[in-house]
Amino acid sequence: MFARIIVGLLIGFIAGLVEAFGPSMSKKWQNMSELLIILTGLAFIVSSFAFGLIFGFMAIIEITAGFCAYGKVFQPKKTSRSLSR
């Protein structure tokens, strides 16, 4: 169970990474990376729903938490000065 939680968080974290570096990649690689992340996340969610409804919803929450964790940890902080522009 713990391994599934780690995998869900890792999928979300990698999705955040691909989203952040997407503009620096070529359009072809960006599309392929996003497609792989979508398919991997979808397969993880479907396999979690196969174990039960609670596990399926936990998988969605884990991926979302991993994506948000990437944004909190690695995205630059916005200052009040940059918000006023």
Side-chain angles (χ1 to χ4, degrees), residues 3 21 29 38 55 67 69 78:
F21 288 111
W29 285 106
I38 289 169
F55 293 114
F67 186 80
K78 291 184 178 179

Side-chain angles (χ1 to χ4, degrees), residues 31-59:
N31 289 341
M32 287 176 42
S33 300
E34 289 174 355
L35 182 65
L36 283 173
I37 291 295
I38 289 169
L39 290 176
T40 304
L42 189 61
F44 181 72
I45 291 170
V46 168
S47 69
S48 295
F49 270 114
F51 285 108
L53 201 58
I54 300 246
F55 293 114
F57 286 118
M58 281 177 51

Side-chain angles (χ1 to χ4, degrees), residues 3-74:
R4 292 186 68 83
I5 292 171
I6 296 299
V7 168
L9 291 172
L10 189 61
I11 291 170
F13 196 82
I14 291 172
L17 184 71
V18 168
E19 185 70 25
F21 288 111
S24 65
M25 292 189 277
S26 70
K27 192 67 175 167
K28 176 183 166 185
W29 285 106
Q30 182 182 3
N31 289 341
M32 287 176 42
S33 300
E34 289 174 355
L35 182 65
L36 283 173
I37 291 295
I38 289 169
L39 290 176
T40 304
L42 189 61
F44 181 72
I45 291 170
V46 168
S47 69
S48 295
F49 270 114
F51 285 108
L53 201 58
I54 300 246
F55 293 114
F57 286 118
M58 281 177 51
I60 294 169
I61 292 169
E62 291 161 7
I63 291 172
T64 304
F67 186 80
C68 292
Y70 178 83
K72 293 279 185 193
V73 173
F74 290 106

